[in-house]
Amino acid sequence: MASTGNGKSKRDTYRHGDLRNALIEAGLELARQGGPEAVVLRAATRQAGVVPNAAYRHFADRGALLHAVSQAAMAHVAHTMEAEQAALPPAEDPAAGARARFRAVGTGYLRFAQEEPGLFRTAFHVPGDMTHAAADTAAGPGGKTPFELLGTALDGLVENGLLPEDRRPGAEFLAWSAVHGLAVLLIDGPLRGLHPTQAHDAGQHVIDMIERGI
Amino acid sequence: MASTGNGKSKRDTYRHGDLRNALIEAGLELARQGGPEAVVLRAATRQAGVVPNAAYRHFADRGALLHAVSQAAMAHVAHTMEAEQAALPPAEDPAAGARARFRAVGTGYLRFAQEEPGLFRTAFHVPGDMTHAAADTAAGPGGKTPFELLGTALDGLVENGLLPEDRRPGAEFLAWSAVHGLAVLLIDGPLRGLHPTQAHDAGQHVIDMIERGI
DNA sequence: TGTACATCAGTGAACGCGCGTTCACTGATGTAC
DNA sequence: TGTACATCAGTGAACGCGCGTTCACTGATGTAC
């Protein structure tokens, strides 16, 4: 690995080797800092140490790159949600476990929104990706998309008698609306800049409301 | 009024007369069609029939214009919410009236989001404008901002015994999160393109949830 | 009522910018013989 | 094992674009005398 001395590194090989992934990774970094608008083709190639038009070997256009980055960001959301569930202490009983897993879905979602607002905005910028996202690109390590994780958690509530079966249909959209709305208010609405502790409390209150109102 | 013949009209006078408002109006039109990113200084001046830099007599920079447009869009939101309340049939009793006014707040908000997604996004694009917006620029004809309309409606619930007093604090953010979240899902989430009737139903379900869970 | 003058809203021309995208190319890699 | 060749990932140079913003200006308007 030769160095140019200006902080950039040069490839040993003429070929990059894994430019597609490098561009997605660069795009994620741009999105992390500035949201979807910041996913600029030239900036991504710059960061990957490659000439601008090299991107066209791997993506049809800027939109295709942004789409791939958005899917990757969605997978990050799923990962955080899964991690939140995995960190749960062992449940006293199945019903308590189902309830905790449901709440963890919302908590993980909100935690990601607070910790990675740029990625969060990028994940949801490309319309319609959440429910219909290809599972192989938008899923977390567990293989589920955020929307599927929510659905599974709701099923768990029903199975344990915590949610009447006739309330199950459409429940995704009730829960999701409330949590997503709070996320947006925390990111660039009037709740932006709230202390993480307060933000967590607000999240718990919204999840309380959902449990009561669902 | 002389005409150039190419569809644009020329001022009679050397001076425009009300360029500031004309630029805001043009900005609203751009926002209506393309959201906040579409509020482009050159496009606004073009639409106002004026040379680009003329805008600088009235706005410090593009950001100042966008801010003014955002405030105007917020006033439109307030106006729609007030209209929704004004269209309510006379209530059977005070409690029913308070409840109807509360629901109208959400319904009006959601209606605006569906009918004017570009303006809706523009209204909320500039962070923090909702709660702290200057009442004179972001308020509807009734003089209240959307956030104030929500607060007043919640107060009405408390006054009529429909909401326990100890649940009042912070209730804005619960209600608002849920409705705002649904609005976002309807605009460019997976619920985008829903038939207006279905969207209305979804709105009613979310508002039901809020009433139960608040 | 008429004239001189200050004000300042809008003009005209130009700038540098980074962007996405195109073209013809080059040279490293892997494969066939 | 060695050589010829096809492939195709990345290069280099260039394009046209609309953008925000700056400068020195002009001429309509309202005010003071």
Side-chain angles (χ1 to χ4, degrees):
Chain A
M1 183 71 87
S3 175
T4 59
N6 62 3
K8 287 184 178 176
S9 58
K10 234 175 189 165
R11 266 161 287 133
D12 293 330
T13 56
Y14 180 83
R15 303 219 170 156
H16 181 284
D18 194 16
L19 184 54
R20 187 190 156 84
N21 282 320
L23 288 174
I24 292 176
E25 217 52 50
L28 281 170
E29 188 51 37
L30 293 165
R32 178 171 282 121
Q33 289 164 22
E37 314 86 42
V39 181
V40 162
L41 190 143
R42 291 184 90 107
T45 54
R46 228 176 280 136
Q47 203 158 122
V50 122
V51 108
N53 52 358
Y56 289 88
R57 290 282 160 208
H58 302 278
F59 300 98
D61 54 20
R62 190 227 166 205
L65 170 60
L66 177 55
H67 187 262
V69 171
S70 169
Q71 294 276 98
M74 188 71 86
H76 279 48
V77 178
H79 174 259
T80 300
M81 292 166 76
E82 287 171 350
E84 193 80 21
Q85 289 188 320
L88 250 26
E92 315 243 322
D93 60 279
R99 186 166 169 240
R101 278 193 300 282
F102 173 71
R103 295 185 68 97
V105 161
T107 308
Y109 192 88
L110 288 168
R111 191 155 63 81
F112 186 85
Q114 288 164 73
E115 288 175 358
E116 294 288 7
L119 291 183
F120 183 86
R121 287 176 49 223
T122 304
F124 296 106
H125 186 249
V126 182
D129 265 358
M130 196 173 194
T131 47
H132 306 101
D136 54 335
T137 52
K144 280 182 176 150
T145 64
F147 188 72
E148 291 167 348
L149 287 167
L150 172 57
T152 302
L154 284 165
D155 290 344
L157 292 184
V158 172
E159 283 159 20
N160 286 275
L162 295 171
L163 178 66
E165 216 163 322
D166 62 306
R167 287 199 114 79
R168 175 66 184 80
E172 280 93 341
F173 299 104
L174 298 181
W176 189 8
S177 289
V179 170
H180 189 72
L182 179 61
V184 173
L185 298 187
L186 285 171
I187 287 178
D188 50 26
L191 266 35
R192 160 194 33 114
L194 218 60
H195 184 78
T197 310
Q198 296 174 298
H200 179 83
D201 287 352
Q204 295 307 306
H205 287 143
V206 165
I207 298 174
D208 290 344
M209 172 185 76
I210 295 168
E211 285 194 328
R212 262 184 256 122
I214 216 174
Chain B
M1 183 70 85
S3 173
T4 58
N6 62 3
K8 288 184 177 177
S9 59
K10 235 175 187 166
R11 268 160 286 133
D12 294 327
T13 56
Y14 180 84
R15 305 219 170 157
H16 181 284
D18 195 15
L19 183 54
R20 187 191 156 84
N21 281 320
L23 289 174
I24 293 176
E25 217 53 50
L28 281 170
E29 189 51 37
L30 293 166
R32 178 172 281 121
Q33 289 165 22
E37 315 85 40
V39 180
V40 162
L41 190 144
R42 291 183 91 108
T45 55
R46 229 175 281 137
Q47 203 159 119
V50 123
V51 107
N53 52 0
Y56 289 87
R57 290 283 160 206
H58 302 278
F59 300 97
D61 54 21
R62 190 226 167 207
L65 170 60
L66 177 54
H67 186 263
V69 172
S70 169
Q71 294 277 97
M74 188 71 86
H76 279 48
V77 178
H79 175 258
T80 300
M81 292 166 76
E82 287 171 350
E84 194 80 22
Q85 289 189 320
L88 250 27
E92 315 243 321
D93 60 280
R99 188 168 166 238
R101 276 193 301 282
F102 172 71
R103 295 185 67 98
V105 161
T107 308
Y109 192 87
L110 288 168
R111 191 155 64 79
F112 187 84
Q114 288 163 73
E115 288 175 359
E116 295 288 7
L119 291 183
F120 183 86
R121 287 177 49 223
T122 304
F124 296 106
H125 186 250
V126 183
D129 265 357
M130 197 173 191
T131 47
H132 305 102
D136 55 336
T137 53
K144 279 182 176 151
T145 65
F147 188 72
E148 291 167 348
L149 288 167
L150 172 57
T152 302
L154 284 165
D155 290 343
L157 292 184
V158 172
E159 282 159 21
N160 287 275
L162 296 171
L163 178 66
E165 215 163 323
D166 62 307
R167 286 198 114 79
R168 175 65 185 80
E172 281 94 340
F173 299 104
L174 297 181
W176 190 8
S177 289
V179 170
H180 189 71
L182 179 60
V184 173
L185 298 187
L186 286 170
I187 288 178
D188 50 24
L191 266 35
R192 158 194 33 111
L194 219 60
H195 184 79
T197 311
Q198 295 173 297
H200 179 82
D201 287 353
Q204 295 306 305
H205 287 143
V206 165
I207 297 173
D208 290 345
M209 172 185 75
I210 295 168
E211 285 194 326
R212 263 182 257 121
I214 216 175

